[in-house]
Amino acid sequence: MKRTYVYWLIILIGTIFPIIVDCIAYKFGKEYPFVWSLFILPSIFIMILSPKWKVVISSAIFFSLLKFIVKFYQNESLFSVEKFVLFAGSLVNWLIHLTIGYFVIKNQKLVQKMEEMALTDTLTGLNNRRYFDIYIEKAIPLSRKMNFPLLLLMIDIDYFKKINDNYGHLCGDQALKHIAGIMKRHVRETDVLIRFGGEEFSILLQETDIKDGINIAERIRDTVRKTEFIYEGTHVALTISIGLAIHNSEHIYMFLKKADQALYEAKANGRNQLVVFE
């Protein structure tokens, strides 16, 4: 927030300064055409604040109009040569402005893509463990403040190693994508779906009581079991085990451990089932 205020201060000063310098120079009968090139400074900071083409073009138009208004106010009967120099200088400034805008926008898109890649699992398109760690740090204090339940589902594909061994790793990848697609269809906008790592997923359920959490988990488990998965003409049976835990003011590590213990119990009891941590 403080940085934004600094940027707007620079934009304000950078807009006023060339006008003041040109007006003082005009008063003493001097001409400093290059001073208008200083408008590029506030333009750059406007681009940084909002790296969009419509903002780049709008700011270029605004500063050009500002320049023309000042010059025509000083001298309404500009000679043709002066007008030509004025427009030619503006054209050069426009080209510089648009070039800088292009690189600012391109750099912003690159940064966004890198951030997305850092927080997204490339195979399934789900958020990854890093995203989960960042998100849960905010979700837990919010659930305390708003006094709503926070549930965690830990999900593991049953006998995933056998799928890889019997059908190959490409089949395993397709199975991961298949199950990720099913979970996407069953989670709500307020839920956070994560590929935790390997064949393990997690879902953070916000503003959800234990009964609703169980219903969501069972729907996902049952849909995975019933939905046919075919790989290269072969039917591959898929099931999942789920551990569910409700947050109860403990540390994040213990919250994860509770859900993980419930998942371990589900697998130890025969898999393809949901266990709620007691």
Side-chain angles (χ1 to χ4, degrees), residues 14-19 34-44 59 62-64 66-68 70 93 97:
T15 302
I16 296 172
F17 182 72
I19 298 172
F34 68 87
V35 77
W36 297 107
S37 297
L38 295 176
F39 271 154
I40 200 66
L41 183 63
S43 296
I44 290 171
S59 63
F62 170 77
F63 286 115
S64 295
L66 200 58
K67 174 183 174 182
F68 292 149
V70 172
N93 288 339
H97 189 100

Side-chain angles (χ1 to χ4, degrees), residues 114-121 126-132 134 194:
M114 289 177 68
E115 287 177 349
E116 287 173 7
M117 288 175 65
L119 299 174
T120 305
D121 174 58
L126 303 181
N127 296 313
N128 61 17
R129 172 65 188 270
R130 185 166 180 264
Y131 180 89
F132 176 85
I134 294 169
I194 304 288

Side-chain angles (χ1 to χ4, degrees), residues 50-103:
S50 184
K52 301 173 184 175
W53 273 116
K54 62 180 180 181
V55 174
V56 172
I57 294 170
S58 298
S59 63
I61 293 171
F62 170 77
F63 286 115
S64 295
L65 286 173
L66 200 58
K67 174 183 174 182
F68 292 149
I69 289 167
V70 172
K71 296 307 290 182
F72 279 101
Y73 177 78
Q74 290 173 351
N75 190 350
E76 294 180 5
S77 58
L78 287 170
F79 295 111
S80 296
V81 176
E82 290 175 330
K83 286 182 180 178
F84 174 77
V85 171
L86 185 64
F87 281 101
S90 297
L91 180 61
V92 172
N93 288 339
W94 256 72
L95 291 173
I96 295 170
H97 189 100
L98 294 176
T99 302
I100 293 172
Y102 167 77
F103 285 108

